[in-house]
Amino acid sequence: MATWKDILKMFKKIKKACQKNKYLLIKNAITLKSFGLDFSFDDMFSIFGKHNNLAFENKTTPFLNQIIKLNELFIFKTYLDFVNTNLKDIFTIGNLDFFYSIRGEVGPTHEDSEHVLILGIKNTTYYHIDNIDLQINPGDVLYIPKGYYHHAFSSRERIILSLSLWKK
């Protein structure tokens, strides 16, 4: 279980990774319950159903999807405020999105124009970066610098939160 001291160390590591332009995986970085982020699929779909201002985007298959722009929802405020407080000297916070698949899927290889902070929420997601497969479990954090080609894949249903970070 990550302590607050561990979480603060995580942000220092993310800043170093940004300076070196390297991706960084931190295992057991966040205790999801402490941020109110221990979601099930039912919880996620309930959030989408209750907030008609959220956008839903179908990715490459009907089984790989995205719910975008979660920033305005109160349930994410603690997490977003904590990230912003600890990274505001180098990043501006962008969109917070759910990415999920309802069965095992492989996402398209792509590069992002912004830095990305991935948080594992439900089940295991793998990210293929630099010819390495990284395993992201609930509570794990993956920092991906902008311009890094990567793709996500899973052998079963999964949920991650993806936060865009814009360098100042």
Side-chain angles (χ1 to χ4, degrees):
M1 178 185 295
T3 66
W4 290 110
K5 190 174 180 180
D6 294 332
I7 294 170
L8 294 174
K9 285 181 188 176
M10 171 189 71
F11 288 114
K12 286 183 181 180
K13 290 178 183 179
I14 290 169
K15 289 177 183 182
K16 281 187 181 178
C18 176
Q19 289 172 345
K20 294 179 179 182
N21 197 39
K22 298 287 184 187
Y23 65 88
L24 174 68
L25 173 62
I26 302 172
K27 303 298 281 179
N28 301 306
I30 290 177
T31 304
L32 295 176
K33 275 192 178 191
S34 65
F35 287 94
L37 298 176
D38 50 335
F39 289 103
S40 68
F41 276 89
D42 288 342
D43 296 332
M44 183 186 65
F45 289 126
S46 176
I47 291 166
F48 182 67
K50 289 177 184 173
H51 300 277
N52 58 9
N53 60 327
L54 296 176
F56 173 85
E57 188 175 308
N58 185 270
K59 292 308 209 182
T60 54
T61 77
F63 307 104
L64 180 63
N65 299 288
Q66 179 180 8
I67 299 174
I68 60 177
K69 299 181 182 173
L70 301 167
N71 302 56
E72 301 305 315
L73 301 183
F74 182 75
I75 55 176
F76 298 107
K77 185 174 179 6
T78 303
Y79 175 67
L80 290 170
D81 285 351
F82 197 69
V83 171
N84 188 46
T85 297
N86 287 284
L87 293 179
K88 68 183 174 189
D89 55 328
I90 61 169
F91 290 119
T92 300
I93 301 296
N95 288 335
L96 179 67
D97 305 329
F98 274 128
F99 280 88
Y100 68 94
S101 56
I102 56 174
R103 69 174 197 187
E105 282 293 321
V106 176
T109 299
H110 67 283
E111 65 176 323
D112 293 303
S113 58
E114 73 277 8
H115 302 261
V116 180
L117 198 62
I118 303 293
L119 175 61
I121 298 294
K122 183 75 176 165
N123 296 329
T124 300
T125 303
Y126 296 89
Y127 277 81
H128 186 78
I129 304 174
D130 272 355
N131 293 317
I132 297 171
D133 292 334
L134 303 171
Q135 182 177 341
I136 314 303
N137 294 308
D140 293 350
V141 168
L142 174 63
Y143 166 74
I144 305 173
K146 77 175 190 172
Y148 260 74
Y149 281 94
H150 61 280
H151 71 268
F153 61 98
S154 63
S155 60
R156 60 181 293 192
E157 71 280 354
R158 52 90 178 188
I159 303 172
I160 61 102
L161 278 173
S162 175
L163 179 61
S164 299
L165 302 170
W166 297 92
K167 191 139 189 230
K168 290 185 174 180

